[in-house]
Amino acid sequence: MTQNTTTEPSTNSISAESLTQFCDEYLSASVFKDYAPNGLQVDGGTPIQRIITGVTACEALIDAAIADNADAIMVHHGYFWKGEPAPITGMKGRRIRKLMQHGISMIGYHLPLDAHPVIGNNAKLADILDMTITGALYPNESHPVGNIATCTPQSADSLIAKITQALGRTPLYISSNYEYHSGNNAKTTANSERVIKRIGICTGGAQDMIEQAAIMGCDAYISGEISERTTHIARELGIDYFACGHHATERGGIKALGEMLAQKFGLPVTFVDIENPA
Ligand SMILES: [Zn+2]
């Protein structure tokens, strides 16, 4: 049995307040009207020397942070969402109790992390799909979330293959080329003619922004989730839809934020992917 005595423990550390202040500014957090508070949501009360990043502050991620001796977890989906019950009981109580007992801070960034032009979820998704962001889905909003991108003109099949390879899962594809055959099984015809080159992108649960993508003249729209209505909207507005997974489309932003912070502050930051098929 060997013991590693050559690695010196990291002496770099930063307070939760300083780390959050830096991220708030970097992500322009204060300009977004969000559904949850952005920044420091749970103060673990200890200086931060090791950070775990992940998509959601679920119990498994907290356990990973405890196992790694981390002092902070940084996530895209934190706690205290608008409309949720305030008492810190049940599942929420257990999560927060674990964080506090182990002196782990929890820092969350939601819309600011979707929207950031360099390390944001939409920017990172466009990167790995070889797309170039050219504008916003809602260009008249002062701090819009959601983008329009262009790519090498390609078929739906080619884009499905690209997404599958980039995200490690096959998207649920809704072709806009649909015909209803009375008295027969209604069926979607193969979308062989459509050439996709202008795409709307918004990660996560942004399926209802498909209408805006159609208004903006996109050939296709990419998001994470799909609702029953999304199928009909895609068919009736003539826009292809690719549901690529909420979790799968939102790994990029928090991972990139962690990598940037590791560089900036010289701290060990580890991205932990708690697998989630939804
Ligand atoms: Zn999300």
Side-chain angles (χ1 to χ4, degrees):
M1 189 177 160
T2 57
Q3 219 175 347
N4 186 352
T5 51
T6 55
T7 312
E8 285 185 28
S10 160
T11 49
N12 290 340
S13 98
I14 187 169
S15 70
E17 291 78 13
S18 301
L19 180 64
T20 309
Q21 195 184 355
F22 172 83
C23 293
D24 282 353
E25 281 168 28
Y26 182 80
L27 297 168
S28 306
S30 64
V31 304
F32 290 89
K33 272 193 169 170
D34 215 328
Y35 312 97
N38 285 300
L40 185 59
Q41 295 191 351
V42 177
D43 186 354
T46 49
I48 295 169
Q49 293 187 312
R50 300 179 72 81
I51 300 171
I52 290 287
T53 56
V55 176
T56 300
C58 60
E59 193 173 11
L61 190 73
I62 297 168
D63 289 341
I66 293 167
D68 193 54
N69 232 350
D71 314 292
I73 61 175
M74 299 188 70
V75 294
H76 181 50
H77 301 138
Y79 307 149
F80 313 117
W81 297 91
K82 222 169 251 177
E84 80 175 28
I88 302 176
T89 57
M91 182 182 78
K92 181 159 73 168
R94 205 162 52 239
R95 289 172 169 183
I96 293 172
R97 195 159 55 243
K98 260 195 186 180
L99 287 169
M100 298 294 242
Q101 281 170 347
H102 290 87
I104 299 171
S105 292
M106 195 276 276
I107 298 164
Y109 288 99
H110 185 235
L111 293 183
L113 196 53
D114 287 319
H116 193 273
V118 179
I119 62 139
N121 282 323
N122 294 318
K124 296 315 271 185
L125 185 60
D127 276 356
I128 59 171
L129 297 179
D130 292 329
M131 295 173 178
T132 306
I133 287 178
T134 56
L137 268 179
Y138 295 88
N140 296 328
E141 288 186 3
S142 50
H143 304 288
V145 178
N147 291 102
I148 291 173
T150 55
C151 64
T152 309
Q154 59 190 298
S155 66
D157 281 348
S158 148
L159 187 48
I160 288 168
K162 174 122 247 163
I163 293 167
T164 304
Q165 181 253 324
L167 296 181
R169 54 168 282 161
T170 309
L172 201 164
Y173 168 61
I174 304 296
S175 169
S176 59
N177 189 8
Y178 172 83
E179 266 179 67
Y180 177 72
H181 302 280
S182 176
N184 209 334
N185 281 339
K187 67 172 188 188
T188 307
T189 51
N191 206 354
S192 53
E193 286 152 43
R194 181 177 285 272
V195 175
I196 295 169
K197 54 184 188 296
R198 181 176 166 87
I199 303 122
I201 298 180
C202 196
T203 61
Q207 60 267 49
D208 286 333
M209 282 159 63
I210 187 174
E211 293 195 50
Q212 179 65 12
I215 289 168
M216 296 298 286
C218 295
D219 308 305
Y221 179 59
I222 291 176
S223 186
E225 297 188 22
I226 183 165
S227 301
E228 190 270 351
R229 61 184 171 273
T230 321
T231 302
H232 303 296
I233 297 170
R235 289 170 178 170
E236 290 176 37
L237 295 184
I239 179 169
D240 282 15
Y241 183 59
F242 299 80
C244 305
H246 191 138
H247 174 87
T249 55
E250 296 197 326
R251 288 182 294 220
I254 194 69
K255 189 163 183 276
L257 178 65
E259 285 162 4
M260 190 270 286
L261 294 172
Q263 280 269 317
K264 170 91 188 155
F265 297 107
L267 299 170
V269 180
T270 309
F271 175 73
V272 175
D273 191 19
I274 306 297
E275 186 275 336
N276 184 343

